[in-house]
Amino acid sequence: MSKMKMADGSTVVRRNRPGTKAKDFCRWPDEPFEEMDSTLAVQQYIQQLIRHNPANIDLILKMPESQDEGVWKYEHLRQFCMELNGLAVRLQGECHPETCTQMTATEQWIFLCAAHKTPKECPAIDYTRHTLDGAACLLNSNKYFPSRVSIKESSVAKLGSVCRRVYRIFSHAYFHHRSIFDEFENETCLCKRFTQFVTKYNLMSKDNLIVPILEDENTPGESEA
């Protein structure tokens, strides 16, 4: 219940409807995927699996039979970007332009920001914001992704470059803000899920997967924007 003070000084007691509290926000009834008939069915299904157990990565990434693979990859990447905003918010408290003047991961990796007319260095927190904004613009583009049920192969081919850029947010957090990374990862398993996702669908080279989140660790190298 909530109380509201009216202009005449009286108080009105209002009963909140179910679902209005933050803890109830995502508590819609579960549905089998084959019974979901919305154009947002894939997104709903993925979020349903994450809500149940974010650590059950194999199940979350298991594509239902007859599902279009391009749409499946697209919806997963949309979901990753939405969840990565949570990590970006946490980084803001510690990752300042004065201290993290470049988007780095260890001393061997310096990333250029592609949000500018000519790719250039950015403070890490600006790179993070620019990258997530750019990913959102592309993934919501009516030109490349006008449908949520069918996607052209030429548009699916653009997902790899988005994966490479957003992954750098994980790598910077891991190597330079480890406590924030660990806390976020323990809650979401997001970096591990992302790493398994891009590995499963060959969206990134294993040489670029520098966060040792899986059993096989990778050796750092050099990268372009």
Side-chain angles (χ1 to χ4, degrees):
M1 293 184 181
S2 61
K3 295 182 180 180
M4 182 182 299
K5 199 76 170 179
M6 305 302 288
D8 61 2
S10 61
T11 300
V12 175
V13 177
R14 180 171 62 86
R15 185 179 298 275
N16 293 332
R17 295 180 179 179
T20 57
K21 296 180 180 179
K23 65 183 180 65
D24 296 325
F25 184 72
C26 294
R27 291 187 179 179
W28 60 81
D30 287 351
E31 288 184 70
F33 179 70
E34 57 272 14
E35 294 181 12
M36 298 178 180
D37 57 3
S38 165
T39 56
L40 304 178
V42 178
Q43 180 187 54
Q44 179 182 343
Y45 179 67
I46 292 170
Q47 292 178 348
Q48 179 175 287
L49 294 174
I50 294 170
R51 188 176 78 248
H52 276 298
N53 184 6
N56 194 347
I57 295 172
D58 289 340
L59 180 60
I60 295 170
L61 297 182
K62 184 178 180 181
M63 186 173 67
E65 293 183 13
S66 76
Q67 173 58 44
D68 179 84
E69 185 176 296
V71 173
W72 183 248
K73 291 189 287 189
Y74 167 78
E75 291 291 352
H76 266 288
L77 187 51
R78 280 179 59 96
Q79 181 65 29
F80 284 123
C81 290
M82 286 191 286
E83 293 184 72
L84 263 170
N85 278 284
L87 178 57
V89 169
R90 298 191 192 194
L91 287 172
Q92 287 181 139
E94 182 179 297
C95 183
H96 303 298
E98 299 79 16
T99 54
C100 296
T101 59
Q102 300 170 313
M103 188 58 162
T104 57
T106 76
E107 295 180 355
Q108 300 181 52
W109 295 78
I110 299 177
F111 304 115
L112 301 181
C113 182
H116 310 275
K117 188 172 182 179
T118 301
K120 66 178 184 178
E121 293 181 8
C122 255
I125 195 63
D126 291 341
Y127 184 106
T128 298
R129 294 173 183 139
H130 295 164
T131 297
L132 290 176
D133 285 349
C137 287
L138 176 64
L139 296 175
N140 287 292
S141 167
N142 285 328
K143 177 180 178 181
Y144 297 111
F145 302 102
S147 170
R148 301 286 287 269
V149 296
S150 177
I151 298 176
K152 296 184 297 184
E153 193 59 38
S154 59
S155 296
V156 174
K158 296 184 177 294
L159 301 182
S161 63
V162 178
C163 288
R164 288 194 302 275
R165 290 184 177 124
V166 300
Y167 180 80
R168 295 165 185 173
I169 301 171
F170 288 122
S171 60
H172 178 77
Y174 179 85
F175 288 106
H176 300 286
H177 307 282
R178 184 62 180 274
S179 61
I180 293 176
F181 176 90
D182 286 345
E183 181 182 32
F184 185 79
E185 186 66 17
N186 288 338
E187 294 174 10
T188 65
C189 301
L190 191 64
C191 184
K192 186 174 183 180
R193 182 176 9 124
F194 186 91
T195 304
Q196 289 189 208
F197 169 74
V198 296
T199 301
K200 180 174 183 177
Y201 292 108
N202 297 313
L203 292 168
M204 284 182 62
S205 166
K206 289 186 177 181
D207 291 338
N208 290 327
L209 298 173
I210 60 176
V211 178
I213 200 91
L214 302 180
E215 292 181 1
D216 296 328
E217 297 189 6
N218 301 285
T219 303
E222 298 180 352
S223 176
E224 299 178 353

